Amino acid sequence: MPEKPEKLREEAVKYFNETVDLIQKGKPEESLESLQKAEKAAQEAKDGAILFHTLKVRGQILQSVGRLEEALETYAFSLRTSEKLLSEDSENRLYIDTLRLNLNNIGNLGNIFQRMGNFTSSRQCYEIGLEICQKRLESRPENEFYQMYAGNTLNNLGELLFKMGHVEEAKEKYEKALKIYEKLVKNYPKDMEYLSDKEMTLNNLGILFSEKGQKDEAKQNFKEALNLLEILSKKDPNNKKLKEKISLTREKLEEN
């Protein structure tokens, strides 16, 4: 005789709580086993909310044990699932939080793949994140988080494409990122992070133009980047990294 949904839900919650406890104790492999039991019970109980919570942590556990391709699959599935559910229930806090969490997770995973030299998987991470983010921006064009995420991911994708030798594609991504940062700087003038992001993309464009031999364009971007660095340095005069960046950008200006 099949178990009642109430009992199955209790079992799913028990195993999910056990999963969280095992994660906190630094036992990721055991936590995965417990999570599978939670998923099985939740599926049998037809409890979508618990299943959704399991998705939130599955990718992170897989990533922590080095199963990165599986983590990518989980983040992508969770993103697409939460985006679909959000399109039907746009104010659901759980769906919003899960989508944002997995956007950040898949973006960070893309950075890890890029550092490892796995450019194919890195590009996949960035492009999946952008695809979902741009869908959200269609209905929430002024949403600060989605704008910020799109800008950061476009910049990261530009860096990746530049390393891969796809210079024109990289330029296109940088220029799109720059437009987003310009809007964010205008709308949130007190947030120095967006000014820093804009400077980073200008610097990346300067390097790209310099590599292409387009000295005037390179100089213009480095000059704008330097102006922003000087503004940031005035706000944070004891920041040694900013002073080093100012020095390096001046050198780049002199070389072009």
Side-chain angles (χ1 to χ4, degrees):
M1 185 175 177
E3 290 189 67
K4 291 183 178 179
E6 294 82 3
K7 189 173 181 183
L8 286 164
R9 272 193 289 274
E10 286 175 14
E11 195 173 304
V13 170
K14 181 190 81 171
Y15 283 123
F16 183 79
N17 290 337
E18 184 180 282
T19 299
V20 174
D21 188 49
L22 287 164
I23 292 169
Q24 291 171 345
K25 289 178 178 176
K27 297 179 178 180
E29 293 289 357
E30 291 94 326
S31 71
L32 269 176
E33 291 175 17
S34 193
L35 190 66
Q36 285 171 346
K37 292 174 184 176
E39 287 173 349
K40 185 174 182 294
Q43 283 170 349
E44 290 176 5
K46 295 182 171 59
D47 193 310
I50 298 174
L51 273 171
F52 212 67
H53 279 294
T54 65
L55 274 177
K56 285 176 73 174
V57 297
R58 169 172 280 281
Q60 291 174 323
I61 300 172
L62 288 165
Q63 184 174 328
S64 74
V65 296
R67 292 159 64 177
L68 302 184
E69 297 293 346
E70 291 175 73
L72 168 53
E73 287 177 17
T74 301
Y75 292 149
F77 177 74
S78 183
L79 274 169
R80 290 189 170 119
T81 301
S82 49
E83 202 283 324
K84 181 178 181 296
L85 291 168
L86 261 178
S87 67
E88 299 163 0
D89 185 3
S90 62
E91 301 304 318
N92 189 299
R93 199 68 242 174
L94 173 61
Y95 300 159
I96 293 168
D97 290 345
T98 302
L99 184 137
R100 291 185 179 188
L101 173 70
N102 281 298
L103 278 173
N104 286 328
N105 285 337
I106 206 167
N108 290 332
L109 186 58
N111 296 339
I112 291 168
F113 278 129
Q114 184 171 172
R115 288 194 294 270
M116 290 169 60
N118 186 342
F119 293 165
T120 301
S121 293
S122 178
R123 184 173 185 172
Q124 192 178 356
C125 287
Y126 295 146
E127 288 180 343
I128 291 169
L130 269 176
E131 174 200 338
I132 299 300
C133 185
Q134 284 166 347
K135 281 184 180 179
R136 298 309 304 151
L137 280 169
E138 286 172 12
S139 58
R140 299 281 191 280
E142 299 305 316
N143 183 282
E144 184 181 358
F145 173 84
Y146 296 131
Q147 289 181 77
M148 175 271 297
Y149 184 89
N152 289 350
T153 307
L154 283 163
N155 181 73
N156 290 340
L157 183 55
E159 288 180 353
L160 177 68
L161 290 165
F162 186 68
K163 286 179 185 175
M164 295 172 73
H166 304 319
V167 177
E168 288 305 315
E169 285 183 78
K171 176 175 170 286
E172 178 196 343
K173 304 306 180 192
Y174 286 148
E175 288 174 343
K176 284 182 178 179
L178 192 59
K179 283 182 181 177
I180 292 170
Y181 291 141
E182 284 170 349
K183 183 177 177 181
L184 286 167
V185 168
K186 181 181 177 181
N187 291 339
Y188 304 96
K190 293 182 180 178
D191 194 327
M192 293 297 103
E193 192 67 31
Y194 297 139
L195 209 63
S196 179
D197 289 336
K198 183 181 176 182
E199 179 278 321
M200 172 181 62
T201 305
L202 284 165
N203 182 66
N204 286 340
L205 273 168
I207 292 168
L208 184 147
F209 282 123
S210 184
E211 288 287 318
K212 288 180 70 181
Q214 294 177 241
K215 300 295 184 181
D216 289 343
E217 290 87 347
K219 187 174 286 188
Q220 180 61 35
N221 280 279
F222 287 137
K223 191 173 181 180
E224 288 182 41
L226 181 60
N227 288 340
L228 295 183
L229 284 170
E230 286 172 344
I231 292 169
L232 289 165
S233 187
K234 284 177 184 175
K235 295 279 185 181
D236 189 4
N238 296 319
N239 191 317
K240 290 182 180 179
K241 285 187 179 180
L242 278 174
K243 292 184 189 304
E244 288 170 8
K245 286 185 81 173
I246 286 171
S247 179
L248 284 169
T249 307
R250 281 178 178 153
E251 286 177 21
K252 289 172 188 172
L253 258 175
E254 289 170 7
E255 290 167 4
N256 286 277

